[in-house]
Amino acid sequence: MELNRRTVIAGAAAAGLAATALGAGSAQADTGRRPVREPFGTLADGTKVHRWSLENGGTRLKVLSYGGIVQSLEIPDRHGRHADVVAGFGDIADYEAKSPYFGALIGRYGNRIGKGRFTLDGTTHQLSVNDGVNHLHGGAKGFDKHVWHVEPFTEGSDVGLHLHYTSVDGEMGYPGTLRAKVTYTLTRHGDWRIDYEATTDRATIVNLTSHVYWNLAGEGSGSIEDHELTIAAARFTPTDAGLIPTGELAGVAGTPFDFRRGKPVGRDLRAGHEQQVLAKGYDHNWVLDKGVTARPEHVATLRDPRSGRTLRIATDQPGLQFYSGNFLDGTLTGTGGRTYRQGDALCLETQHFPDSPNHPHFPSTVLRPGRTYRTSTIHTFGA
């Protein structure tokens, strides 16, 4: 029987052992702690970067002002033992010089736009091209490579951070000045919630997401191929050789892309499907059955059988990009001092579809003046 965090806390509280059930030494871990700021280093241009640490409901989160990066996220296993379950670096130099978007906020547009071009209201815009001939994750200097203004908060039993960044008109080729606000919240149950907001003074496109690399057995612990993944999606968006969607919404039935009933990530990873050959594994957008919804709904579950840790993802977005860590090649050393090899972490990015501006039948990513872009994703942990 799978127990979520709320069940564990409730049962332990009845026995007067809530802190023990969460692996905490005191009730402070359960009631939340105001975020604490500390220096984390200096960028090459002399800009100072800070790290914020916050804790609630047994979840411990560390966030950098640079890129809104989740540098570590610790949750307990079935025995109450905490481990960091996200890939990352121990110093700012590595993040600045060679990070594959570890833990970062992505914008203005998460994922790829073919040839870096799109047409809006009759005007064609050329974006920064940084992935072959294509535009990826906001361009050469996307939101992940800027220092955000961070404001800590406590609200009732929740603790969190408000992160702000203003992207000026023309940055990376995008039209309009976009004012973005992203809120990270740790709830009293230990859930990690992300709320995204943005406004613009000119019609533009926007698709914000978080690029956390997960390994529920613990950062640097090895392959995620035994992790069990469930995705509530009967279709996905096939791509060309540049990983740009062809426009087709293909059925997953009878293919390695069928995760509807859940299966180990590695079971069909090397099945030889032509889409896997192009991506060197999984690096695709799943078309969530629920579509765009008014509030977050559960769409995916990831479970590590070794530790018992589980991650449940709820979102209001129509898509989920599952990336199986195909391009980790052993050249990056993580926070724990171990190198990351292919498949040592995976990403589950809630989003609108890649290249949506060039496919009118995909859900729209256009934002106009007077409207506010809002979306939320909730990560619920258990063991």
Side-chain angles (χ1 to χ4, degrees):
M1 176 179 177
E2 179 180 313
L3 300 179
N4 63 27
R5 182 69 59 82
R6 294 169 179 79
T7 305
V8 171
I9 291 176
L17 298 172
T20 301
L22 289 169
S26 70
Q28 184 181 40
D30 299 331
T31 58
R33 182 178 66 188
R34 182 172 179 80
V36 176
R37 189 181 79 160
E38 62 183 334
F40 190 73
T42 305
L43 299 177
D45 66 1
T47 303
K48 293 181 179 179
V49 174
H50 292 91
R51 180 171 66 180
W52 292 85
S53 299
L54 50 160
E55 183 174 343
N56 206 6
T59 299
R60 303 166 183 166
L61 182 66
K62 293 185 178 180
V63 177
L64 306 183
S65 57
Y66 178 71
I69 288 169
V70 173
Q71 193 239 350
S72 74
L73 193 156
E74 297 182 16
I75 57 175
D77 65 8
R78 60 168 63 91
H79 302 294
R81 297 174 298 206
H82 279 76
D84 181 9
V85 296
V86 303
F89 295 122
D91 62 74
I92 193 60
D94 283 344
Y95 280 108
E96 187 175 19
K98 53 189 177 184
S99 177
Y101 304 100
F102 282 157
L105 288 175
I106 302 298
R108 283 188 199 189
Y109 199 98
N111 222 305
R112 294 171 173 86
I113 295 178
K115 296 181 175 145
R117 289 199 297 267
F118 70 97
T119 300
L120 179 59
D121 297 337
T123 299
T124 297
H125 300 274
Q126 179 62 57
L127 305 176
S128 164
V129 171
N130 63 323
D131 183 44
V133 300
N134 300 317
H135 176 85
L136 174 65
H137 292 334
K141 192 173 183 181
F143 286 9
D144 60 295
K145 297 177 178 64
H146 290 275
V147 172
W148 292 59
H149 175 68
V150 183
E151 298 174 341
F153 70 88
T154 57
E155 185 175 306
S157 58
D158 296 340
V159 298
L161 305 170
H162 296 303
L163 300 99
H164 301 265
Y165 176 69
T166 298
S167 175
V168 299
D169 183 30
E171 184 175 276
M172 297 295 105
Y174 287 96
T177 294
L178 188 84
R179 301 183 184 279
K181 175 185 176 182
V182 179
T183 300
Y184 290 163
T185 303
L186 286 186
T187 73
R188 65 187 180 90
H189 300 296
D191 297 349
W192 173 41
R193 179 180 179 121
I194 311 177
D195 294 288
Y196 305 87
E197 296 181 23
T199 58
T200 184
D201 61 0
R202 181 182 171 194
T204 190
I205 59 172
V206 60
N207 185 29
L208 305 182
T209 191
S210 171
H211 208 297
V212 167
Y213 284 68
W214 300 97
N215 186 326
L216 297 183
E219 174 273 335
S221 64
S223 175
I224 47 76
E225 291 189 21
D226 63 345
H227 280 38
E228 298 163 358
L229 176 63
T230 305
I231 304 176
R235 295 176 295 170
F236 76 108
T237 51
T239 71
D240 62 19
L243 302 184
I244 302 298
T246 62
E248 179 187 4
L249 304 179
V252 302
T255 78
F257 293 82
D258 193 347
F259 284 88
R260 289 174 294 177
R261 294 186 178 180
K263 64 182 178 183
V265 168
R267 176 179 294 174
D268 298 322
L269 184 60
R270 295 170 179 83
H273 189 285
E274 61 180 6
Q275 284 292 306
Q276 292 175 301
V277 173
L278 290 175
K280 296 181 172 59
Y282 296 112
D283 193 0
H284 295 78
N285 168 70
W286 268 252
V287 179
L288 298 173
D289 292 339
K290 69 174 190 61
V292 178
T293 48
R295 58 183 57 84
E297 295 183 12
H298 173 241
V299 296
T301 299
L302 184 68
R303 178 178 181 273
D304 169 44
R306 289 177 284 173
S307 66
R309 295 187 182 95
T310 60
L311 163 64
R312 290 172 55 87
I313 295 178
T315 186
D316 50 19
Q317 293 285 274
L320 180 76
Q321 184 82 9
F322 166 37
Y323 168 57
S324 53
N326 315 328
F327 298 102
L328 298 175
D329 61 3
T331 62
L332 304 177
T333 301
T335 50
R338 297 184 177 93
T339 57
Y340 297 138
R341 304 164 303 168
Q342 186 180 55
D344 278 356
L346 61 82
C347 301
L348 297 167
E349 304 156 63
T350 56
Q351 58 172 23
H352 270 59
F353 304 168
D355 204 34
S356 288
N358 295 313
H359 299 279
H361 61 293
F362 285 3
S364 175
T365 56
V366 174
L367 178 66
R368 298 188 180 277
R371 303 297 297 271
T372 300
Y373 168 94
R374 288 191 177 92
T375 179
S376 300
T377 294
I378 303 170
H379 307 81
T380 300
F381 306 106

